[in-house]
Each structure stands twice: as structure tokens, then as C-alpha cells.
Amino acid sequence: MVTFTVEDHDGNRQEIEAPDDMGFNLMEILKASEYPVLATCGGMALCGTCHIEVLEGKDGLGDATDPELDQLENLPEYYPTSRLSCQIRISEILEGAVVKLRGEDVV
């Protein structure tokens, strides 16, 4: 299990614990935790509605892929630490990370 923190659109933070041995991505865990993540493309890096900003722990996540960067660069809000949560696998690299929801806040 890994533990990381999620900051919602209102600035509230909550620690989340997720299994790191089941192949989930961060988007799936956010949706299962009932955060308002649309994820309309189902995790294919095509919509950008699972946009997050990595506030802490970005160094361990590796670089975004070209398709992910293409999608991120088309969003109205884009930060140097922006990522698509569908492209981040739940693993030990997320331990202690802090992510902020940035995608659309309507489900």
C-alpha cells in the first residue's frame, strides 16, 4: 500500500491509501475515492479531464509522455508540474506525494 495526499478544488487535503500491486492508475483511485474526476476518455490521455498538479513528489514520477504533454498543453490551466492522473501508475513512487485536482470539477 502507498499513501499520498489529495488536495481538492476547495483546498481541503485528505490522505489516500491505495494498493500498489493491482495495476491501478491514479485516476482510478481518485474516482474510487469519489473525487469529481470526469475522465471521459477512460485513461487514454485524450481528454485532460483528469488533470492534476503534483505539489510534492514530482521528481519520482518521471517525465510525461508526448501524448500526455500534447493534451496538457491544450488545457486552459497548465502548470510546470501538471500531469494527467490516468498516466500515473499507483506504485511506491507516489508514497508521500501531494497532488491537487485541476480537472473539471463536475461529474
Side-chain angles (χ1 to χ4, degrees):
M1 298 291 273
V2 296
T3 303
F4 55 91
T5 302
V6 177
E7 183 175 319
D8 66 17
H9 296 287
D10 296 325
N12 301 311
R13 288 187 175 194
Q14 178 180 345
E15 273 196 358
I16 301 291
E17 189 174 71
D20 61 350
D21 60 352
M22 298 182 68
F24 291 123
N25 62 42
L26 182 54
M27 174 202 72
E28 293 166 325
I29 297 300
L30 293 173
K31 287 180 70 91
S33 300
E34 298 184 359
Y35 282 102
V37 177
L38 288 176
T40 55
C41 74
M44 298 174 55
L46 297 174
C47 68
T49 58
C50 67
H51 177 208
I52 60 163
E53 182 181 2
V54 182
L55 301 178
E56 295 176 29
K58 66 182 177 351
D59 297 333
L61 296 179
D63 295 328
T65 62
D66 287 340
E68 181 180 1
L69 287 172
D70 290 343
Q71 189 60 47
L72 287 168
E73 290 171 354
N74 288 311
L75 295 174
E77 293 182 308
Y78 173 62
Y79 306 92
T81 57
S82 287
R83 294 293 303 265
L84 297 179
S85 61
C86 68
Q87 300 301 298
I88 299 172
R89 290 274 164 224
I90 300 297
S91 70
E92 67 279 348
I93 62 171
L94 273 174
E95 184 66 41
V98 178
V99 300
K100 180 176 178 63
L101 299 180
R102 289 291 185 183
E104 298 179 36
D105 61 353
V106 181
V107 289

